[in-house]
Amino acid sequence: MLHCSMSYFCLAMLHLPNPSDARDWCNVQRQTGRSVGFVPTMGALHRGHESLVDRARIENDVCCASIFVNPLQFEDGQDFNAYPRDLNADLAVLEAHGCDMIFEGTLESFFPEVEDVRRIPMISAGPFGRGLEEVCRPGHLDGVRTIVDRLFRFVGPAKAYFGEKDFQQTLVVMDLAESLGYPDVIVCPTVREPSGLALSSRNALLSPDEKKEAERIFQSLAAAAKAWSSGIRHAHILREKMIEQFAGSRLIVEYAAVRNPSAWTADDPPGELSHAQALIAARLGRVRLIDNLQLH
Ligand code: PAF
């Protein structure tokens, strides 16, 4: 039963309070022959999210989004509490971009069968969860896979849209979609500031000075790309080029890595790479930023 005064077919965006209402709405869409495109988010929307919604609208009959800051993917409560939230601004952005329905939820509503939400059975991130984020944020990608699995089951999308900035997350989600047999996972390009800084909800937590400093993250990826263009194919040399960009910086690099995205083996795979993704995570005070760039 939908708790909303608006009809399915009016132009205004529906805002539903919980995932079971969203499931009903999505079922009606499918039963009436409409394909559902889905953009899962944690809110604090920026132009990167807007690009996902724009694409979902073009490629599907209807488009829906979720806003849920998922506690399962935060390893520490402080980071969870500090995560930026601005629901009214998010709703305005989604509506302006033609999203048809947005829903929220709580752990209780996403996992109604679980008596105590502290005991939600976690799904392992799988083979692409190994290394990098796993080392720095243990359990984070398990938390992502667990909630995205749930979101997909509620929404049943034909296509789901994710930003390439969270590169390892996209690999984990594609692996999940393959195991479920749906949806098509569409990975959309990272949207950047003119300086190269990747748009991220966490940028809102940076002072103007810190934002300037954070530009080094993209500069390090650009250094690896330049080295690749000059013919360097060894991961450890490419990685050194990345690290050099942080000399004298306040940024604390958690990892700088070059991996073959299809093999996803350990960092610094031996020999010459034919395919390579440069990936980086760095902290500026309490704010953690990640980015990546395809080199090949
Ligand atoms: O990328 C995000 O915003 C989150 O990890 C996601 C995919 C919405 C799951 O909570």
Side-chain angles (χ1 to χ4, degrees), residues 156-208:
K159 292 184 176 156
Y161 297 80
F162 293 81
E164 194 176 32
K165 184 179 76 64
D166 298 298
F167 187 79
Q168 195 174 1
Q169 167 173 287
T170 64
L171 297 181
V172 169
V173 169
M174 284 192 285
D175 187 52
L176 165 68
E178 201 180 307
S179 74
L180 293 174
Y182 76 98
D184 278 351
V185 172
I186 314 292
V187 178
C188 302
T190 303
V191 178
R192 300 182 180 281
E193 305 259 13
S195 66
L197 179 67
L199 296 195
S200 159
S201 303
R202 291 173 193 268
N203 291 359
L205 305 172
L206 298 173
S207 68

